[in-house]
Amino acid sequence: MLCLTSGCFFASTSFLPSSFSMYAISLASGFFLLEKYAMAVAVSAAGVILGWPFSILAFLPVVFYSLARRFKQAFLAGAATSVTLLALSVFVDYQYYRRWTSSVLNLVVYNVVGGGESHLYGIEGPLYYLRNAFNNFNFGFVLALLFVGILPIARKKYAPGLVVVVSPVYIWLLFMSMQPHKEERFLYPIYPLICVAASAVIESFPDIFRDKYDPNANFVMVTTAKVLRPFVLGLILCASHSRTFSLVNGYAAPIEVYKILQHHDDAGPGSVVCVGSEWHRYPSSFFIPNYIGEVRWLDDGFRGLLPLPFNSTVGGTSAAPSYFNNKNKASDQQFLQDVEACTFLVELQLNRPYPSRGSDLSKWEPIAALPYLDREFSPPLYRSFFIPYLWQQRNVFGLYKLFRRIRN
């Protein structure tokens, strides 16, 4: 499940702080189950400080129980790791910012006390993470939630070790569901624990029918439950593959379209790629060939702060340009005012009954057009899971296009 479920498949390859915390939770949980409590606490500290500070909530059960079992060793290991990594973090921060500060502390203070306007980037309802987790783990997520239900019959087998390891699933889901701004990546730290909880439930199927006073009773039901286990696991993995195929085939266009730029280097050095409403799907500068001078945003009405081209002449990483602000408010400088300066343009064209906010395309020629799944007009079941033939027939697709300016 760790290798093949759709959630872990994508989270494990994402270069994100929450992914690093996910690795740390996996390792810390393993050390905890092996009764290496000092190592579990040390890895937890690394996951919080080097990864995502807010994931500390998911580490707390393992840390607290480790301290309860081996307080001196666990405390010293955690304290030494924390002090060392924080000192290293502050030193690295100084090298880049040229002043003594802590990016770890700043991140926490800004989001907890400073009141960053995260709602600018979208808010979701309280059931968002439940729906999202089902998409990524399907029936495995349902089984993971049922872990508490099997404890009365599997307490001796799973308590307290596995209970402590799995408990962050419930704690994290509850806490994150209470936050108005939600993103799939925020759930990454508990992805491995969802697999652990689901696996424990599948392994306990025979225990549901086993009579502890008469091992030979309900023999047929116990045997049937044992046989059922690989079929349930197979169903979960097949559904996960279906989810992965749907994501790859339906939403890969934003990555694939930028790869096409490498075949148009005749545009010359210093070319400019312009992106309007698709700024949030821009994958990475890794996909931009060297002849491209910069990527710029066009004003599509979004009022949040977006990245600007790096400018080493104003102080590099140590500078604090005037357009920086602590409310994520947009700056006029982040948008390219002269559209004539654009060499390439990236646009998503969807069939809508109302006029699009897109750019005037009369001076552009399309050089690539890739299908992109239109989630707003596609049924939830068919857009979430790849069902052969029906996936193509029932879903609605737009075109993710790359344009090149027509030179007179």
Side-chain angles (χ1 to χ4, degrees):
M1 291 180 70
L2 285 170
C3 291
L4 301 178
T5 49
S6 185
C8 290
F9 180 80
F10 287 101
S12 62
T13 56
S14 299
F15 195 62
L16 292 168
S18 50
S19 284
F20 186 88
S21 293
M22 180 185 71
Y23 308 146
I25 282 184
S26 299
L27 187 57
S29 299
F31 281 132
F32 176 80
L33 293 174
L34 293 172
E35 299 184 357
K36 297 182 178 180
Y37 301 116
M39 290 298 296
V41 174
V43 171
S44 298
V48 171
I49 296 171
L50 295 182
W52 194 30
F54 300 105
S55 64
I56 187 173
L57 191 63
F59 286 100
L60 286 181
V62 164
V63 171
F64 283 160
Y65 198 86
S66 296
L67 290 171
R69 296 301 299 268
R70 296 286 190 278
F71 179 81
K72 183 178 180 180
Q73 298 93 323
F75 177 80
L76 290 175
T81 303
S82 299
V83 170
T84 302
L85 293 180
L86 281 172
L88 179 62
S89 174
V90 169
F91 175 75
V92 173
D93 287 339
Y94 178 79
Q95 298 302 311
Y96 282 92
Y97 303 134
R98 307 314 300 177
R99 62 189 179 95
W100 293 108
T101 186
S102 171
S103 56
V104 177
L105 180 61
N106 292 342
L107 177 66
V108 175
V109 171
Y110 172 70
N111 284 275
V112 176
V113 181
E117 302 290 339
S118 63
H119 67 270
L120 285 171
Y121 301 95
I123 58 175
E124 299 289 345
L127 299 180
Y128 173 81
Y129 285 125
L130 295 180
R131 295 195 302 268
N132 190 274
F134 181 81
N135 281 340
N136 285 317
F137 294 93
N138 54 83
F139 302 107
F141 178 64
V142 177
L143 292 176
L145 294 181
L146 294 176
F147 178 82
V148 174
I150 67 164
L151 283 182
I153 61 175
R155 184 177 302 156
K156 290 184 178 180
K157 186 161 52 175
Y158 295 145
L162 208 61
V163 174
V164 174
V165 167
V166 169
S167 59
V169 171
Y170 304 97
I171 299 171
W172 194 249
L173 276 173
L174 179 62
F175 174 77
M176 296 306 296
S177 295
M178 295 169 61
Q179 311 307 311
H181 176 60
K182 299 177 177 66
E183 297 183 35
E184 178 182 338
R185 62 190 175 99
F186 294 168
L187 218 59
Y188 284 5
I190 63 168
Y191 274 6
L193 307 185
I194 291 175
C195 294
V196 171
S199 301
V201 173
I202 294 174
E203 199 273 337
S204 297
F205 279 176
D207 298 331
I208 299 174
F209 306 100
R210 188 174 285 121
D211 189 336
K212 62 180 180 179
Y213 299 108
D214 184 3
N216 296 319
N218 301 327
F219 175 78
V220 175
M221 294 299 295
V222 171
T223 303
T224 302
K226 289 181 179 180
V227 174
L228 190 64
R229 288 185 296 192
F231 287 99
V232 172
L233 180 59
L235 174 64
I236 292 172
L237 297 185
C238 284
S240 291
H241 283 311
S242 176
R243 169 68 175 173
T244 301
F245 291 160
S246 179
L247 292 175
V248 170
N249 287 282
Y251 301 106
I255 293 179
E256 297 300 325
V257 79
Y258 285 97
K259 294 180 181 179
I260 297 172
L261 287 170
Q262 63 182 305
H263 303 297
H264 293 270
D265 53 356
D266 60 313
S271 297
V272 178
V273 176
C274 292
V275 184
S277 59
E278 287 303 293
W279 60 267
H280 59 292
R281 294 192 182 98
Y282 172 68
S284 167
S285 296
F286 176 83
F287 295 93
I288 303 300
N290 291 334
Y291 74 89
I292 299 293
E294 59 184 9
V295 176
R296 296 303 305 269
W297 316 118
L298 300 180
D299 190 353
D300 71 325
F302 177 68
R303 293 296 94 195
L305 186 64
L306 294 175
L308 276 82
F310 180 72
N311 188 352
S312 60
T313 62
V314 296
T317 56
S318 63
S322 59
Y323 51 78
F324 279 4
N325 64 87
N326 63 357
K327 296 297 181 182
N328 286 340
K329 299 297 184 182
S331 166
D332 291 337
Q333 298 180 50
Q334 72 190 30
F335 299 116
L336 181 65
Q337 305 300 330
D338 182 16
V339 181
E340 295 294 322
C342 298
T343 312
F344 299 95
L345 175 67
V346 176
E347 284 274 340
L348 173 60
Q349 295 186 348
L350 301 173
N351 293 322
R352 291 289 186 272
Y354 45 83
S356 171
R357 290 186 60 93
S359 307
D360 177 14
L361 302 178
S362 59
K363 298 181 180 180
W364 300 86
E365 60 173 337
I367 56 176
L370 302 176
Y372 187 84
L373 199 153
D374 187 347
R375 67 176 301 277
E376 188 173 337
F377 285 91
S378 299
L381 175 63
Y382 297 103
R383 72 168 184 256
S384 297
F385 298 95
F386 185 91
I387 303 174
Y389 304 108
L390 294 178
W391 188 83
Q392 294 92 333
Q393 295 174 6
R394 299 294 181 88
N395 287 320
V396 177
F397 295 86
L399 286 176
Y400 212 92
K401 291 187 174 183
L402 176 63
F403 294 89
R404 181 170 176 173
R405 177 173 291 281
I406 299 174
R407 298 297 182 185
N408 296 327

